[in-house]
Amino acid sequence: MSSNPHLSIKMLVNAISIVLISSIAVPAVNAQPSSPSPETTPPQPGKEQPKQSPETSRTPEQPQQNSYFGFGGVIGIQGGTTSLSQGTFSILSKHVLTNNLAIHSDATIFGSLTPSASVALTFNKSISSDSLPITFTPFLGAGIMAHDESGIRINPLITGGVDISTPTNLTLTVRANAGFVKDRKADIGILFGVGYNY
């Protein structure tokens, strides 16, 4: 039995056509959007790590000091050369240079002994509390004391104390001054005062 060549060619053409149609149609039907792999998935905006705001990452600022001018009284503790060692009335001031440096000064305006005036460069450290509306600023320093004893004389001085700033624009101060007036002996007095901030 002989085969028909026309039939064989026709069957071959049909087979090739079916294969070609299948190779085109099947991928189009089965193709589905592929989900990105975990490695290539872009980060979601909601899942990013929260960044610290400048306010939360900033270190706490040191409380600011206040310059002031005021008056006070001195209680004498030791000595007998100048008014620093007796009860007197004085004017006083503080001038802020930096957050840690200031100039403290005072001068006697009443007193039976030799009037005196002092000025000192002090190191200051402000301390505040969230529960109290005041700021404590302890200070310690050294300078000079001038007094009139048969002419103006200049002697070394050390001072220390605390300034207490209040919400009413006033500063309370307590100072201990020691002026070495002669033979390494010191006139010592404690000054209590109040100043108006400027």
Side-chain angles (χ1 to χ4, degrees):
M1 180 174 178
S2 61
S3 60
N4 189 347
H6 295 285
L7 181 60
S8 299
I9 293 173
K10 184 176 181 181
M11 292 177 61
L12 180 61
V13 170
N14 289 337
I16 293 174
S17 299
I18 292 172
V19 171
L20 291 176
I21 292 172
S22 300
S23 63
I24 296 174
V26 171
V29 172
N30 295 333
Q32 299 197 3
S34 59
S35 59
S37 63
E39 292 79 6
T40 59
T41 302
Q44 299 297 325
K47 295 184 180 181
E48 292 182 355
Q49 294 295 329
K51 296 181 180 180
Q52 289 186 340
S53 61
E55 291 74 10
T56 57
S57 61
R58 187 182 304 165
T59 56
E61 295 183 358
Q62 180 177 341
Q64 297 296 315
Q65 299 186 66
N66 294 311
S67 299
Y68 60 79
F69 181 84
F71 62 91
V74 177
I75 298 176
I77 301 298
Q78 175 182 303
T81 303
T82 68
S83 57
L84 181 62
S85 61
Q86 69 165 1
T88 60
F89 184 78
S90 299
I91 57 174
L92 52 91
S93 68
K94 172 186 176 181
H95 179 69
V96 174
L97 301 176
T98 69
N99 281 345
N100 296 114
L101 294 177
I103 295 176
H104 283 78
S105 62
D106 61 80
T108 302
I109 55 177
F110 295 116
S112 58
L113 295 178
T114 304
S116 64
S118 67
V119 59
L121 177 65
T122 59
F123 177 81
N124 306 254
K125 181 64 175 180
S126 297
I127 303 170
S128 63
S129 172
D130 293 337
S131 59
L132 295 175
I134 59 178
T135 300
F136 296 89
T137 307
F139 61 88
L140 180 66
I144 57 173
M145 181 181 70
H147 64 282
D148 186 3
E149 184 182 356
S150 301
I152 300 298
R153 296 196 177 185
I154 306 296
N155 301 103
L157 171 108
I158 58 174
T159 186
V162 60
D163 294 323
I164 305 171
S165 300
T166 69
T168 59
N169 212 33
L170 296 177
T171 296
L172 308 178
T173 185
V174 180
R175 308 179 186 179
N177 291 334
F180 298 88
V181 292
K182 60 171 62 175
D183 300 329
R184 297 182 181 178
K185 295 181 179 179
D187 279 6
I188 301 175
I190 298 179
L191 185 152
F192 298 88
V194 58
Y196 181 78
N197 300 337
Y198 66 87

PDB file of all heavy atoms in Angstrom, residues 28-45:
ATOM      1  N   ALA A  28       1.334  33.137  26.422  1.00  0.00           N
ATOM      2  CA  ALA A  28       0.468  34.291  26.643  1.00  0.00           C
ATOM      3  C   ALA A  28      -0.622  33.975  27.641  1.00  0.00           C
ATOM      4  O   ALA A  28      -1.043  34.821  28.424  1.00  0.00           O
ATOM      5  CB  ALA A  28      -0.145  34.725  25.314  1.00  0.00           C
ATOM      6  N   VAL A  29      -1.135  32.710  27.633  1.00  0.00           N
ATOM      7  CA  VAL A  29      -2.198  32.335  28.563  1.00  0.00           C
ATOM      8  C   VAL A  29      -1.656  32.121  29.958  1.00  0.00           C
ATOM      9  O   VAL A  29      -2.245  32.518  30.956  1.00  0.00           O
ATOM     10  CB  VAL A  29      -2.907  31.069  28.046  1.00  0.00           C
ATOM     11  CG1 VAL A  29      -3.886  30.529  29.084  1.00  0.00           C
ATOM     12  CG2 VAL A  29      -3.613  31.353  26.736  1.00  0.00           C
ATOM     13  N   ASN A  30      -0.492  31.471  30.065  1.00  0.00           N
ATOM     14  CA  ASN A  30       0.074  31.125  31.369  1.00  0.00           C
ATOM     15  C   ASN A  30       0.869  32.253  31.999  1.00  0.00           C
ATOM     16  O   ASN A  30       1.265  32.161  33.160  1.00  0.00           O
ATOM     17  CB  ASN A  30       0.977  29.888  31.229  1.00  0.00           C
ATOM     18  CG  ASN A  30       0.188  28.654  30.839  1.00  0.00           C
ATOM     19  OD1 ASN A  30      -0.996  28.557  31.139  1.00  0.00           O
ATOM     20  ND2 ASN A  30       0.846  27.705  30.165  1.00  0.00           N
ATOM     21  N   ALA A  31       1.153  33.289  31.241  1.00  0.00           N
ATOM     22  CA  ALA A  31       1.976  34.384  31.801  1.00  0.00           C
ATOM     23  C   ALA A  31       1.189  35.117  32.866  1.00  0.00           C
ATOM     24  O   ALA A  31       0.062  35.525  32.642  1.00  0.00           O
ATOM     25  CB  ALA A  31       2.386  35.336  30.681  1.00  0.00           C
ATOM     26  N   GLN A  32       1.771  35.273  34.056  1.00  0.00           N
ATOM     27  CA  GLN A  32       1.157  36.002  35.160  1.00  0.00           C
ATOM     28  C   GLN A  32       2.187  36.928  35.759  1.00  0.00           C
ATOM     29  O   GLN A  32       3.383  36.659  35.701  1.00  0.00           O
ATOM     30  CB  GLN A  32       0.651  35.014  36.222  1.00  0.00           C
ATOM     31  CG  GLN A  32      -0.406  34.085  35.655  1.00  0.00           C
ATOM     32  CD  GLN A  32      -1.186  33.422  36.756  1.00  0.00           C
ATOM     33  OE1 GLN A  32      -0.969  33.707  37.910  1.00  0.00           O
ATOM     34  NE2 GLN A  32      -2.084  32.543  36.364  1.00  0.00           N
ATOM     35  N   PRO A  33       1.713  38.080  36.321  1.00  0.00           N
ATOM     36  CA  PRO A  33       2.686  39.023  36.897  1.00  0.00           C
ATOM     37  C   PRO A  33       3.456  38.377  38.028  1.00  0.00           C
ATOM     38  O   PRO A  33       2.864  37.821  38.957  1.00  0.00           O
ATOM     39  CB  PRO A  33       1.811  40.176  37.417  1.00  0.00           C
ATOM     40  CG  PRO A  33       0.440  39.581  37.550  1.00  0.00           C
ATOM     41  CD  PRO A  33       0.330  38.534  36.479  1.00  0.00           C
ATOM     42  N   SER A  34       4.728  38.408  37.889  1.00  0.00           N
ATOM     43  CA  SER A  34       5.588  37.797  38.903  1.00  0.00           C
ATOM     44  C   SER A  34       5.790  38.771  40.049  1.00  0.00           C
ATOM     45  O   SER A  34       5.980  39.958  39.840  1.00  0.00           O
ATOM     46  CB  SER A  34       6.943  37.418  38.294  1.00  0.00           C
ATOM     47  OG  SER A  34       7.570  38.565  37.779  1.00  0.00           O
ATOM     48  N   SER A  35       5.695  38.220  41.241  1.00  0.00           N
ATOM     49  CA  SER A  35       5.913  39.068  42.426  1.00  0.00           C
ATOM     50  C   SER A  35       7.397  39.202  42.676  1.00  0.00           C
ATOM     51  O   SER A  35       8.145  38.242  42.528  1.00  0.00           O
ATOM     52  CB  SER A  35       5.235  38.435  43.650  1.00  0.00           C
ATOM     53  OG  SER A  35       5.772  37.154  43.863  1.00  0.00           O
ATOM     54  N   PRO A  36       7.834  40.383  43.031  1.00  0.00           N
ATOM     55  CA  PRO A  36       9.271  40.575  43.256  1.00  0.00           C
ATOM     56  C   PRO A  36       9.742  39.743  44.430  1.00  0.00           C
ATOM     57  O   PRO A  36       9.015  39.523  45.391  1.00  0.00           O
ATOM     58  CB  PRO A  36       9.384  42.076  43.556  1.00  0.00           C
ATOM     59  CG  PRO A  36       8.017  42.475  44.015  1.00  0.00           C
ATOM     60  CD  PRO A  36       7.072  41.602  43.285  1.00  0.00           C
ATOM     61  N   SER A  37      10.948  39.281  44.335  1.00  0.00           N
ATOM     62  CA  SER A  37      11.520  38.478  45.410  1.00  0.00           C
ATOM     63  C   SER A  37      11.766  39.351  46.625  1.00  0.00           C
ATOM     64  O   SER A  37      11.863  40.563  46.526  1.00  0.00           O
ATOM     65  CB  SER A  37      12.839  37.861  44.930  1.00  0.00           C
ATOM     66  OG  SER A  37      13.769  38.880  44.635  1.00  0.00           O
ATOM     67  N   PRO A  38      11.840  38.711  47.785  1.00  0.00           N
ATOM     68  CA  PRO A  38      12.078  39.520  49.002  1.00  0.00           C
ATOM     69  C   PRO A  38      13.321  40.372  48.922  1.00  0.00           C
ATOM     70  O   PRO A  38      13.411  41.430  49.516  1.00  0.00           O
ATOM     71  CB  PRO A  38      12.194  38.441  50.103  1.00  0.00           C
ATOM     72  CG  PRO A  38      11.481  37.247  49.554  1.00  0.00           C
ATOM     73  CD  PRO A  38      11.675  37.286  48.068  1.00  0.00           C
ATOM     74  N   GLU A  39      14.325  39.867  48.155  1.00  0.00           N
ATOM     75  CA  GLU A  39      15.557  40.647  48.084  1.00  0.00           C
ATOM     76  C   GLU A  39      15.383  41.916  47.279  1.00  0.00           C
ATOM     77  O   GLU A  39      16.035  42.924  47.534  1.00  0.00           O
ATOM     78  CB  GLU A  39      16.670  39.783  47.462  1.00  0.00           C
ATOM     79  CG  GLU A  39      17.122  38.617  48.349  1.00  0.00           C
ATOM     80  CD  GLU A  39      16.168  37.439  48.309  1.00  0.00           C
ATOM     81  OE1 GLU A  39      15.200  37.495  47.498  1.00  0.00           O
ATOM     82  OE2 GLU A  39      16.364  36.484  49.077  1.00  0.00           O
ATOM     83  N   THR A  40      14.485  41.845  46.252  1.00  0.00           N
ATOM     84  CA  THR A  40      14.343  43.006  45.381  1.00  0.00           C
ATOM     85  C   THR A  40      13.133  43.853  45.717  1.00  0.00           C
ATOM     86  O   THR A  40      12.840  44.815  45.031  1.00  0.00           O
ATOM     87  CB  THR A  40      14.239  42.544  43.909  1.00  0.00           C
ATOM     88  OG1 THR A  40      13.108  41.676  43.776  1.00  0.00           O
ATOM     89  CG2 THR A  40      15.501  41.802  43.493  1.00  0.00           C
ATOM     90  N   THR A  41      12.366  43.463  46.748  1.00  0.00           N
ATOM     91  CA  THR A  41      11.173  44.235  47.103  1.00  0.00           C
ATOM     92  C   THR A  41      11.578  45.603  47.632  1.00  0.00           C
ATOM     93  O   THR A  41      12.385  45.688  48.570  1.00  0.00           O
ATOM     94  CB  THR A  41      10.362  43.507  48.182  1.00  0.00           C
ATOM     95  OG1 THR A  41      10.009  42.213  47.693  1.00  0.00           O
ATOM     96  CG2 THR A  41       9.115  44.297  48.543  1.00  0.00           C
ATOM     97  N   PRO A  42      11.098  46.693  47.048  1.00  0.00           N
ATOM     98  CA  PRO A  42      11.474  48.024  47.544  1.00  0.00           C
ATOM     99  C   PRO A  42      10.915  48.252  48.931  1.00  0.00           C
ATOM    100  O   PRO A  42       9.848  47.759  49.275  1.00  0.00           O
ATOM    101  CB  PRO A  42      10.830  48.981  46.520  1.00  0.00           C
ATOM    102  CG  PRO A  42       9.711  48.186  45.919  1.00  0.00           C
ATOM    103  CD  PRO A  42      10.167  46.755  45.910  1.00  0.00           C
ATOM    104  N   PRO A  43      11.627  48.960  49.782  1.00  0.00           N
ATOM    105  CA  PRO A  43      11.140  49.207  51.150  1.00  0.00           C
ATOM    106  C   PRO A  43       9.865  50.029  51.133  1.00  0.00           C
ATOM    107  O   PRO A  43       9.709  50.963  50.367  1.00  0.00           O
ATOM    108  CB  PRO A  43      12.299  50.003  51.797  1.00  0.00           C
ATOM    109  CG  PRO A  43      13.029  50.598  50.646  1.00  0.00           C
ATOM    110  CD  PRO A  43      12.890  49.629  49.509  1.00  0.00           C
ATOM    111  N   GLN A  44       8.930  49.601  51.967  1.00  0.00           N
ATOM    112  CA  GLN A  44       7.668  50.318  52.080  1.00  0.00           C
ATOM    113  C   GLN A  44       7.854  51.563  52.940  1.00  0.00           C
ATOM    114  O   GLN A  44       8.535  51.523  53.959  1.00  0.00           O
ATOM    115  CB  GLN A  44       6.605  49.417  52.717  1.00  0.00           C
ATOM    116  CG  GLN A  44       6.304  48.163  51.908  1.00  0.00           C
ATOM    117  CD  GLN A  44       5.720  48.498  50.555  1.00  0.00           C
ATOM    118  OE1 GLN A  44       4.960  49.470  50.439  1.00  0.00           O
ATOM    119  NE2 GLN A  44       6.075  47.734  49.529  1.00  0.00           N
ATOM    120  N   PRO A  45       7.227  52.682  52.551  1.00  0.00           N
ATOM    121  CA  PRO A  45       7.398  53.917  53.341  1.00  0.00           C
ATOM    122  C   PRO A  45       6.983  53.751  54.782  1.00  0.00           C
ATOM    123  O   PRO A  45       7.571  54.320  55.686  1.00  0.00           O
ATOM    124  CB  PRO A  45       6.498  54.923  52.605  1.00  0.00           C
ATOM    125  CG  PRO A  45       6.365  54.374  51.216  1.00  0.00           C
ATOM    126  CD  PRO A  45       6.426  52.884  51.352  1.00  0.00           C
TER     127      PRO A  45
END
